[in-house]
Amino acid sequence: ADCTYRIRETVGMVFQNPDDQLVASLVEDDVAFGPENLGIPTDELRERVTQALEDVGLSGFERHETHALSGGQKQRVAIAGVLAMNPAVLVLDEASAMLDPRGRAGLMRVCHELHERGMTIVMITHYMEEAAQADRVVVMDGGNILTDRDPRTVFAQVELLKRHKLDVPQATELIYRLNAAGCSISGTPLDEDECVKAIAEYLKLG
């Protein structure tokens, strides 16, 4: 129990559906909920709320009603509520699953900015394009670790992932299929730009 308490002091978690995590009708009240329950003094609490909303790109939304926000904005409010508690680690449990592509892109942008400032981000996701942006990818199946390496090394193992009914980024899949059809394109592209570059290099050689 003591170990669990220490983890809760340093780890913040954001869930798949932000509506399950939002507790107040106004954005500023929702973000303040966690640190207020920790007994943070009023002046510091106000500073934390302001900073957390700035961190997620929602400065000026303090008096907005949470129910009127878009899905992506609600998710960012949920993240702000966790950030206001000053966690060392942020865990996102399928946090982008209910967002549209624009919302997912916004969420990833926030994660990159927080990571660049020193926060550890643990993202549980089935979107391989998101996983490809990580420093480290751990692939699990039935509670077992299949592979634990950098994204390029992990997604180069296309056959292994497919055997376990897992996807790879679309760029990686395209090059895999082209090579299976008789091409000989080197490398493991993880995004569209890398894919275009790999095909261009192959066509030059051809």
Side-chain angles (χ1 to χ4, degrees):
D2 184 50
C3 178
T4 302
Y5 180 77
R6 288 202 304 272
I7 290 173
R8 286 174 178 167
E9 283 188 311
T10 58
V11 178
M13 192 157 185
V14 177
F15 300 99
Q16 177 175 327
N17 188 346
D19 288 326
D20 293 338
Q21 196 157 350
L22 302 181
V23 296
S25 59
L26 291 180
V27 168
E28 63 180 356
D29 293 339
D30 194 273
V31 177
F33 180 81
E36 190 172 30
N37 277 278
L38 293 177
I40 302 301
T42 303
D43 289 346
E44 183 182 347
L45 180 64
R46 198 172 293 119
E47 289 177 8
R48 287 197 186 195
V49 170
T50 299
Q51 184 60 54
L53 287 172
E54 183 180 327
D55 288 341
V56 300
L58 288 178
S59 294
F61 278 72
E62 287 84 354
R63 303 298 296 173
H64 282 57
E65 295 186 353
T66 53
H67 74 84
L69 300 175
S70 69
Q73 289 170 333
K74 286 181 179 180
Q75 196 61 285
R76 283 190 280 162
V77 170
I79 293 173
V82 172
L83 294 181
M85 299 174 73
N86 285 341
V89 179
L90 177 63
V91 178
L92 303 172
D93 186 5
E94 298 282 0
S96 66
M98 300 185 69
L99 303 181
D100 59 20
R102 183 178 177 182
R104 286 199 295 272
L107 178 61
M108 291 304 297
R109 185 168 56 254
V110 168
C111 289
H112 281 299
E113 290 171 357
L114 292 171
H115 179 60
E116 286 170 6
R117 284 166 33 200
M119 182 176 289
T120 298
I121 309 290
V122 178
M123 177 173 282
I124 302 162
T125 182
H126 284 94
Y127 290 102
M128 296 302 102
E129 280 71 20
E130 291 178 354
Q133 298 178 50
D135 295 327
R136 171 184 173 190
V137 175
V138 180
V139 180
M140 301 188 71
D141 185 25
N144 298 312
I145 295 176
L146 297 180
T147 182
D148 175 2
R149 300 288 295 277
D150 64 276
R152 206 171 302 280
T153 302
V154 167
F155 290 121
Q157 304 174 71
V158 178
E159 295 291 346
L160 170 67
L161 298 175
K162 285 183 175 293
R163 281 201 303 273
H164 289 272
K165 297 181 174 58
L166 296 171
D167 293 324
V168 297
Q170 290 183 345
T172 310
E173 176 75 19
L174 176 59
I175 299 303
Y176 170 78
R177 291 192 182 191
L178 287 172
N179 284 335
C183 299
S184 184
I185 304 174
S186 61
T188 305
L190 298 178
D191 59 33
E192 184 178 325
D193 290 340
E194 291 184 358
C195 185
V196 169
K197 184 176 180 181
I199 293 174
E201 289 297 322
Y202 170 73
L203 292 175
K204 282 184 196 174
L205 292 174

